Amino acid sequence: MEKLNAPNVDKLKLDKAVNEFTMARDLCNLFDTDPYLSATANQIAACALNILNSVNQQIASGDQQKMATLMNAAKAAYVAESKLKMWTPGVSTLLGSSDQPFTVAKNHIAAMCADKGKRDPKIIGEILRLFGGVAENLHLDPKAVPAGHFTSAALTLAVPTAPADKPATVGWDFFCSTRPAYRTTAYGNMAFDRKARQRTTPPNFNAATIEKEVADVLGLDYQNVRTGNTFFRPLLPGDIVRAIDKVLGLPEGASISGTTSDTIWAVEVISNFLNGQGKSFDPNILLLPLAAIVSGYHHTALEVGLAMTINGYITYQPGFYTSFQTSEMSKTAWGARIHAILANAENDGKNLLMLIATDSTPNAVYAARSEDDKKKFRKAVTLDFDGYKKWYGLAQPATSSPSSFPVTFSVKTINDATNGLLN
């Protein structure tokens, strides 16, 4: 790799961030304007709302003593997501302050079900995020403490699969029987373990400012951003995603997130339900969370890519944005349109493939410019389980403890984590 002479590291990183968020914005616009992708995303969102509405109505109309635990579990999910933009400002405030937040959420979701209008992809992403949170709270999680997560097959729902469809009867356990892979695989167990996610706790709602250039791309007010974990949960030394961000010069976000994985899972499980009702979808609908979550400034492309990789959809390679698709996904008519956006970001001059040694001032920057270097770089950053474990070792060396997790990274430690790219 080529060592750059007197690089402007901040400019290189900002260029990379602007390029990545531009890609997410363009994907979001495609999901908003393409008739098929927009109709599909809206159909999945409508179904998610109808499911939540059916759950809420059954809880509210059932025996209150028997339903108390269910109501409290659903209420906890609604309160936790009270800052989402899918709520009106007044509803958001009530969810955070009312003594009856379940009723507030129930009434608002019922009103959203009655609204048959087209929704923005970012709002659709939030609806699916909320659905995943409720499904998680109303599911028996063997690791969950205290009680409150339980099997809720007793809820039998009559769910319209689209606004005008005849309701399909289904047990709530259908939406909870298959949990995301981060609950069942060695990769998931490692990546989602609290030790791997070192974040500011509790959330700091005045944590940082978004770069004006990124805010302009996303249509946000950079002086008054109130959106998502990327803003509220700055990463700390020891976080694995932070180490990847620092070394590869990626925009820093909020670490890998179960919410992100649940959103991706929600797309799949609702699609499966609708498939059972005779509908079928292009596999690229799985990229809706990439478009919605990243353009909504909730998480970065890396954090979505990690979740999709752990759940077996793709094998993400940071900087190589076309790795968000399998070859089969890129061959469909809609997949080709998405592929063009991903390839444009991948080939953009702002997307410098680089390794940054942060233990010196100025930082040392090494760039992969030749085709041979790019090939080696792609292999070194591939985030399969073996690749992830190397980054884990960089962020949390075997001899370290939380008080001594490295803040900066040297040429030697980066070389060890990237298969000797700097030899």
Side-chain angles (χ1 to χ4, degrees), residues 95-127:
L95 284 173
S97 62
S98 170
D99 59 353
Q100 293 185 323
F102 174 81
T103 301
V104 172
K106 175 179 70 69
N107 292 342
H108 186 72
I109 288 171
M112 291 183 75
C113 285
D115 180 2
K116 311 303 183 187
K118 175 175 168 287
R119 292 186 168 89
D120 180 276
K122 292 190 286 291
I123 297 300
I124 292 173
E126 292 192 348
I127 291 169

Side-chain angles (χ1 to χ4, degrees), residues 138-209:
L138 297 182
H139 174 70
L140 178 60
D141 182 347
K143 298 179 181 178
V145 182
H149 298 247
F150 40 79
T151 310
S152 46
L155 290 175
T156 301
L157 314 174
V159 181
T161 58
D165 283 359
K166 180 180 179 181
T169 301
V170 63
W172 174 244
D173 57 314
F174 177 91
F175 302 105
C176 299
S177 59
T178 304
R179 302 303 297 158
Y182 70 82
R183 297 173 180 273
T184 58
T185 65
Y187 192 171
N189 287 337
M190 176 178 282
F192 284 95
D193 186 82
R194 288 189 182 278
K195 185 184 176 187
R197 297 187 289 167
Q198 301 288 321
R199 302 187 292 177
T200 302
T201 301
N204 180 356
F205 293 109
N206 295 295
T209 57

Side-chain angles (χ1 to χ4, degrees), residues 25-339:
R25 180 203 64 193
D26 292 347
L27 285 172
C28 193
N29 288 341
L30 182 64
F31 272 94
D32 189 39
T33 58
D34 180 88
Y36 172 82
L37 292 174
S38 177
T40 301
N42 274 274
Q43 186 174 16
I44 290 173
C47 187
L49 287 170
N50 286 331
I51 294 166
L52 290 175
N53 186 49
S54 188
V55 168
N56 291 338
Q57 299 300 332
Q58 189 162 342
I59 290 174
S61 62
D63 183 291
Q64 291 307 293
Q65 186 172 358
K66 293 180 179 179
M67 292 292 179
T69 307
L70 285 166
M71 181 178 290
N72 286 334
K75 177 175 67 177
Y78 294 136
V79 171
E81 300 292 3
S82 63
K83 295 186 179 297
L84 296 180
K85 293 181 179 179
M86 62 172 281
W87 313 110
T88 62
V91 169
S92 182
T93 300
L94 285 173
L95 284 173
S97 62
S98 170
D99 59 353
Q100 293 185 323
F102 174 81
T103 301
V104 172
K106 175 179 70 69
N107 292 342
H108 186 72
I109 288 171
M112 291 183 75
C113 285
D115 180 2
K116 311 303 183 187
K118 175 175 168 287
R119 292 186 168 89
D120 180 276
K122 292 190 286 291
I123 297 300
I124 292 173
E126 292 192 348
I127 291 169
L128 296 172
R129 170 185 175 132
L130 181 67
F131 174 87
V134 174
E136 183 171 3
N137 275 23
L138 297 182
H139 174 70
L140 178 60
D141 182 347
K143 298 179 181 178
V145 182
H149 298 247
F150 40 79
T151 310
S152 46
L155 290 175
T156 301
L157 314 174
V159 181
T161 58
D165 283 359
K166 180 180 179 181
T169 301
V170 63
W172 174 244
D173 57 314
F174 177 91
F175 302 105
C176 299
S177 59
T178 304
R179 302 303 297 158
Y182 70 82
R183 297 173 180 273
T184 58
T185 65
Y187 192 171
N189 287 337
M190 176 178 282
F192 284 95
D193 186 82
R194 288 189 182 278
K195 185 184 176 187
R197 297 187 289 167
Q198 301 288 321
R199 302 187 292 177
T200 302
T201 301
N204 180 356
F205 293 109
N206 295 295
T209 57
I210 184 174
E211 294 92 343
K212 185 178 186 303
E213 294 84 351
V214 171
D216 288 345
V217 166
L218 298 178
L220 300 173
D221 179 353
Y222 82 103
Q223 293 181 317
N224 187 34
V225 176
R226 290 293 181 271
T227 176
N229 286 334
T230 296
F231 187 74
F232 299 148
R233 301 293 295 270
L235 305 184
L236 302 173
D239 185 272
I240 315 307
V241 168
R242 174 186 177 274
I244 300 173
D245 290 339
K246 291 288 188 184
V247 172
L248 300 186
L250 300 173
E252 293 186 42
S255 194
I256 191 169
S257 168
T259 300
T260 304
S261 194
D262 281 350
T263 302
I264 296 165
W265 165 82
V267 174
E268 181 182 40
V269 74
I270 295 174
S271 297
N272 288 343
F273 172 63
L274 293 173
N275 284 339
Q277 310 307 312
K279 300 172 177 63
S280 61
F281 300 109
D282 186 286
N284 287 280
I285 197 65
L286 288 168
L287 294 178
L288 171 61
L290 172 64
I293 291 172
V294 179
S295 66
Y297 203 58
H298 291 292
H299 285 278
T300 64
L302 169 63
E303 292 155 7
V304 175
L306 264 175
M308 292 187 71
T309 298
I310 290 169
N311 282 285
Y313 303 120
I314 61 171
T315 302
Y316 186 53
Q317 299 160 319
F320 298 92
Y321 299 112
T322 53
S323 64
F324 271 109
Q325 290 179 307
T326 63
S327 59
E328 290 76 15
M329 291 170 71
S330 66
K331 291 174 182 175
T332 73
W334 295 277
R337 297 175 188 176
I338 291 172
H339 186 83

